[in-house]
Amino acid sequence: MFERDRLRASIHVLIRRLLAATYILAIPVTSEAAFVIEFAPSQTTVTSNGLDQRVTVDMVIRHDGSPPPAEFSGFTVFMGDTGPNLVIDSVAETDFDYENDASVKQSRHTGLYMLGASSTTQQHSFGSGSTQSLLSVDFLLDGSVNAGVFDLNLTLHDVTTGTANNGSLTSIANSVTAQNGVFTVLNATAVPEPSSVLFLVGTGILAYRRRKAKHRVL
């Protein structure tokens, strides 16, 4: 009887350990991305001037100093629709000399922008722990926007390493994350017209003279 109870207890312990191990294996393991793609935060705040504005913002890639990959051959990123008052007009190469022109396209159905660039026969080295510009992006801000915030929601489609000409392209998307940002429009402080300033000054002088004259009469 005692041996049977001890065997039963051992079986229960074994079952609990197996369940615990199964639970641990079921937990998704995530690793920190070596690369982060985002719009340069220092360039996404502008002041409204009441006119249509063209604002150039760098889409940058940051490396956290992790081990390889330290080079890439192409990338594609999606950005959410920002509405009719803030649109992407064009993109251009900056720090990397891509063999295939940098491009931007907007879907008529979803409004999503697809931004990307690539090279067919070469890779682009990336300094460990550095920040470089993937593209310069020209935004068109409508002059009717006095103040507001636009969400710059980025979704990574793919980043590749290797070269397409010999069929060695490999996705490194699991080492890259796309970080959302905001485009902020500040309301300019109203500055009075010169004629208004002169009027205020003249009115003040006249009021001072009247008070002085009244004081003399008394």
Side-chain angles (χ1 to χ4, degrees), residues 59 75-79 88 91 103-104 113-117 135 137:
M59 176 178 282
F75 73 96
T76 307
V77 177
F78 291 108
M79 190 190 86
I88 294 179
V91 296
S103 64
V104 57
Y113 291 94
M114 182 174 69
L115 305 97
L135 299 171
V137 181

Side-chain angles (χ1 to χ4, degrees), residues 14 60 70-71 77 84 88 142 160 168 176 180 182 198 200 214:
L14 180 61
V60 300
E71 55 187 12
V77 177
I88 294 179
D142 193 274
T160 56
S168 65
V176 185
N180 296 333
V182 293
L198 292 175
L200 292 173
K214 185 177 181 181

Side-chain angles (χ1 to χ4, degrees), residues 36-39 41 78-80 151-156 177-182:
V36 175
I37 295 176
E38 64 178 345
F39 285 109
F78 291 108
M79 190 190 86
D151 291 327
L152 302 178
N153 294 325
L154 296 181
T155 303
L156 179 69
T177 185
Q179 186 163 297
N180 296 333
V182 293

Side-chain angles (χ1 to χ4, degrees), residues 3-177:
E3 291 295 330
R4 184 183 302 172
D5 291 340
R6 188 169 65 178
L7 178 60
R8 186 178 299 171
S10 299
I11 292 174
H12 287 167
V13 170
L14 180 61
I15 291 174
R16 286 197 297 270
R17 288 179 179 176
L18 288 173
L19 289 174
T22 303
Y23 175 77
I24 292 173
L25 291 174
I27 297 175
V29 178
T30 58
S31 58
E32 300 222 355
F35 295 105
V36 175
I37 295 176
E38 64 178 345
F39 285 109
S42 61
Q43 301 173 1
T44 54
T45 299
V46 300
T47 301
S48 173
N49 61 6
L51 303 173
D52 294 347
Q53 295 187 65
R54 178 181 294 272
V55 183
T56 301
V57 180
D58 285 333
M59 176 178 282
V60 300
I61 182 168
R62 293 188 285 107
H63 190 268
D64 64 2
S66 301
E71 55 187 12
F72 71 98
S73 56
F75 73 96
T76 307
V77 177
F78 291 108
M79 190 190 86
D81 186 7
T82 46
N85 291 329
L86 182 69
V87 299
I88 294 179
D89 179 59
S90 61
V91 296
E93 296 178 2
T94 46
D95 291 347
F96 300 101
D97 185 16
Y98 305 108
E99 293 178 323
N100 305 315
D101 291 339
S103 64
V104 57
K105 298 178 182 178
Q106 186 178 22
S107 169
R108 294 181 179 179
H109 302 290
T110 64
L112 284 174
Y113 291 94
M114 182 174 69
L115 305 97
S118 64
S119 293
T120 305
T121 65
Q122 65 178 0
Q123 298 193 86
H124 305 285
S125 297
F126 194 91
S128 177
S130 65
T131 299
Q132 292 179 257
S133 176
L134 289 171
L135 299 171
S136 66
V137 181
D138 279 358
F139 287 90
L140 296 181
L141 175 65
D142 193 274
S144 63
V145 180
N146 293 321
V149 175
F150 299 86
D151 291 327
L152 302 178
N153 294 325
L154 296 181
T155 303
L156 179 69
H157 179 254
D158 201 9
V159 178
T160 56
T161 185
T163 54
N165 63 318
N166 60 12
S168 65
L169 278 181
T170 303
S171 174
I172 56 171
N174 61 345
S175 297
V176 185
T177 185

